[in-house]
């Protein structure tokens, strides 16, 4: 059984590499509440697509003149105005990457439709597929992840449980009317299956006549 599991994992990795190498540029937007595994997922997916991974937490701190892992930061970098500034800066970087024919993963909460729409419009303007990947997880898992990353010296996010609760009260989940949407439970195992689901969706975006 252990050998079988190892072989299946290797087969999935080969499938990811094979499919990823055939896909033209695309924009993938992670979306979800804090602690749902967006950045972990984006970091895992990026190598298979040779994608540029843009992390909103790191961009926000860069704009504020802070080190990515500097915590206890001033609250004014989390105002609505500064958040819009962060998303504007990330969209500019997405544009440059897509114009350079590079797949991009825009890794952010994207908590409101008004923040998602400019990125979707950008993809349409540049004629590249846009996929929204909405990550979810159970609250006990989110609590555990937040506790674990509070001790991680490489973690850029400042989100704690109070931030999660505030975000949850304001979060507008993406809907299919916005475009291609994939909802994934980040607790699903094996992890690579969720990566393959993204690849499958991107393949269908590029080849709309493909069948099951």
């Amino acid at each position: 059984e252990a050998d079988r599991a190892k072989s299946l994992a290797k087969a999935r990795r080969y499938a990811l590499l094979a499919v990823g190498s055939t896909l033209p540029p695309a924009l993938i937007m992670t979306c979800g509440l804090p602690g749902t595994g967006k950045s972990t997922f984006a970091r895992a997916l990026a190598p298979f697509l040779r994608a540029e991974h843009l992390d909103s937490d790191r961009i926000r701190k860069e704009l504020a003149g802070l080190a990515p892992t500097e915590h206890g930061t001033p609250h004014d970098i989390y105002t609505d105005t500064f958040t819009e500034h962060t998303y504007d800066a990330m969209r500019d970087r997405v544009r440059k990457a897509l114009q350079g024919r590079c797949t991009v993963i825009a890794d952010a909460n994207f908590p409101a439709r008004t923040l998602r729409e400019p990125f979707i419009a950008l993809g349409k303007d540049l004629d590249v597929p846009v996929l929204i990947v909405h990550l979810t997880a159970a609250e006990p898992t989110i609590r555990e992840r937040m506790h674990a990353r509070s001790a991680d010296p490489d973690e850029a996010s400042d989100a704690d449980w109070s931030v999660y609760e505030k975000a949850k009260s304001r979060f507008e989940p993406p809907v299919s009317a916005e475009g291609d949407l994939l909802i994934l439970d980040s607790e699903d195992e094996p992890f690579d299956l969720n990566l393959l689901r993204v690849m499958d969706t991107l393949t269908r975006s590029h080849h709309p006549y493909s069948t099951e």
Side-chain angles (χ1 to χ4, degrees):
E1 184 62 29
D3 289 342
R4 178 177 180 273
K6 188 181 295 185
S7 295
L8 283 172
K10 180 182 279 190
R12 284 192 292 268
R13 307 283 293 183
Y14 280 136
L16 285 164
L17 286 167
V19 176
S21 68
T22 69
L23 292 172
L27 169 57
I28 301 165
M29 300 161 57
T30 66
C31 175
L33 291 168
T36 51
K38 298 179 298 298
S39 293
T40 298
F41 188 81
R43 284 193 295 267
L45 180 62
F48 295 110
L49 293 171
R50 299 179 179 84
E52 183 170 347
H53 173 207
L54 298 175
D55 183 339
S56 65
D57 287 321
R58 292 176 179 271
I59 292 173
R60 185 188 299 269
K61 290 187 176 180
E62 178 186 326
L63 294 173
L66 300 168
T69 56
E70 186 174 346
H71 298 291
T73 54
H75 291 294
D76 58 2
I77 74 169
Y78 292 101
T79 63
D80 290 344
T81 299
F82 203 93
T83 293
E84 290 177 7
H85 181 38
T86 301
Y87 278 77
D88 286 344
M90 183 163 66
R91 190 172 68 255
D92 288 342
R93 298 182 191 193
V94 168
R95 179 188 297 277
K96 290 177 182 177
L98 291 176
Q99 288 175 334
R101 306 301 295 166
C102 178
T103 289
V104 186
I105 303 175
D107 173 14
N109 291 346
F110 286 106
R113 186 165 186 167
T114 53
L115 290 173
R116 296 188 291 266
E117 285 176 340
F119 287 79
I120 296 169
L122 175 61
K124 291 179 179 178
D125 289 344
L126 298 178
D127 195 28
V128 298
V130 179
L131 174 62
I132 302 171
V133 181
H134 180 190
L135 276 297
T136 66
E139 290 193 342
T141 299
I142 292 173
R143 278 186 180 274
E144 290 176 9
R145 288 173 178 172
M146 288 184 168
H147 177 72
R149 73 187 189 186
S150 65
D152 184 352
D154 296 322
E155 178 58 50
S157 175
D158 292 318
D160 56 17
W161 189 251
S162 64
V163 171
Y164 169 82
E165 290 184 318
K166 181 179 179 180
K168 182 180 177 181
S169 69
R170 303 174 62 182
F171 187 69
E172 299 173 12
V175 294
S176 57
E178 295 178 56
D180 286 342
L181 170 64
L182 190 60
I183 302 174
L184 299 177
D185 183 344
S186 67
E187 298 179 75
D188 280 353
E189 293 291 345
F191 184 80
D192 286 351
L193 283 180
N194 273 342
L195 301 181
L196 282 170
R197 289 177 180 121
V198 171
M199 294 290 197
D200 180 62
T201 304
L202 288 173
T203 300
R204 293 170 190 277
S205 297
H206 288 294
H207 305 288
Y209 302 109
S210 62
T211 58
E212 292 286 348

